[in-house]
Amino acid sequence: MDRGTRLLIVDDNRLVREGVKSLLASEPDLSVVGCAPYGPEAMQLIDALRPDLVLADASAPARSGTLLARAVTQRYAGVKVVVMGLEEEGTAVTDAIEAGAAGYILRDASVEEFTAVLRGVARGEIPVSPKIAARLFSRINELASARSAARPASGGKLTPREVEVLGLVAESLTNKEIAARLKVETQTVKNHVHNILEKLELAHRFEAVQYAKEAGILRK
């Protein structure tokens, strides 16, 4: 975009803040609009400047970068957090992503990799290595299994029509396509999907399909 990507750097070490700012000064599409240490000052600047990206250093104590990612994503929907200085081994990367970070930069990343991640996140991409992707899928499966085990059987709450709609969702049909198949308005299908998700206490269509198959509501 014309104004470039606006970044705010958050780190308790002033030398790190100034060093990253200096590093990005030669990148015409990446503009540092402010720097701050962790704490109230950082949140005040984010609130005042509304940057596109917040670049948070993970080397701060108590995983401040991860905590900041959670706080920012909960309060500012349009601001993305990139946590830098992470190790690929261990759970630091997956913890940061689970907290809401839109991207991460490894401790041994090159300058080219560093700026590539920032540009990718600004474009809406989530660049992850195969190793991290495998861990994320494993974590998603763990959470899905735990949720299924904790949730009481809810299939009986669905009406026959809702089960029928869910079956068509399982065929990867869009709301418009389901409406055409059932000869109803698209809004009616949207209402059915909303009710299904609400009754099953789920957030996404694919989760509802997966749960319905595991619970025997739909055939696998």
Side-chain angles (χ1 to χ4, degrees):
M1 45 193 185
D2 294 339
R3 65 187 178 124
T5 300
R6 302 168 66 252
L7 295 100
L8 178 72
I9 301 168
V10 179
D11 191 284
D12 282 339
N13 190 319
R14 182 174 180 177
L15 287 176
V16 172
R17 298 196 302 266
E18 294 300 325
V20 174
K21 181 178 180 180
S22 177
L23 174 68
L24 296 176
S26 60
E27 305 295 333
D29 59 332
L30 299 173
S31 174
V32 177
V33 296
C35 298
Y38 284 103
E41 184 179 344
M43 296 304 293
Q44 289 167 6
L45 271 181
I46 293 168
D47 187 57
L49 300 174
R50 297 298 172 94
D52 302 305
L53 300 182
V54 173
L55 188 57
D57 187 6
S59 63
R63 291 193 173 180
S64 298
T66 298
L67 297 176
L68 181 69
R70 179 174 288 110
V72 170
T73 53
Q74 287 176 349
R75 291 179 60 177
Y76 308 107
V79 181
K80 299 176 181 177
V81 178
V82 176
V83 181
M84 63 179 179
L86 295 174
E87 295 283 357
E88 192 169 33
E89 301 302 324
T91 64
V93 173
T94 51
D95 287 348
I97 294 174
E98 193 172 339
Y104 67 93
I105 298 168
L106 296 178
R107 184 169 296 177
D108 60 353
S110 66
V111 174
E112 290 75 14
E113 291 168 335
F114 180 80
T115 54
V117 168
L118 297 180
R119 292 187 175 102
V121 171
R123 290 193 299 267
E125 301 170 358
I126 306 177
V128 296
S129 69
K131 183 181 293 186
I132 296 300
R135 289 181 191 160
L136 288 174
F137 276 111
S138 176
R139 180 61 176 153
I140 290 170
N141 288 333
E142 288 176 8
L143 292 173
S145 297
R147 184 180 296 176
S148 295
R151 188 188 306 114
S154 306
K157 296 181 181 179
L158 299 183
T159 66
R161 190 60 152 181
E162 288 167 349
V163 173
E164 185 178 13
V165 169
L166 191 54
L168 295 175
V169 170
E171 294 179 24
S172 299
L173 298 183
T174 65
N175 288 343
K176 185 176 181 180
E177 291 169 336
I178 295 173
R181 180 82 65 89
L182 299 178
K183 295 181 173 57
V184 297
E185 296 294 327
T186 302
Q187 185 59 51
T188 300
V189 175
K190 290 181 180 179
N191 291 340
H192 282 314
V193 173
H194 172 78
N195 291 337
I196 290 167
L197 296 178
E198 193 170 67
K199 288 179 178 181
L200 298 182
E201 300 177 15
L202 295 170
H204 302 290
R205 296 157 67 100
F206 75 90
E207 288 183 319
V209 170
Q210 184 63 32
Y211 170 73
K213 289 180 178 179
E214 292 175 355
I217 302 169
L218 295 176
R219 292 182 179 179
K220 294 186 178 181

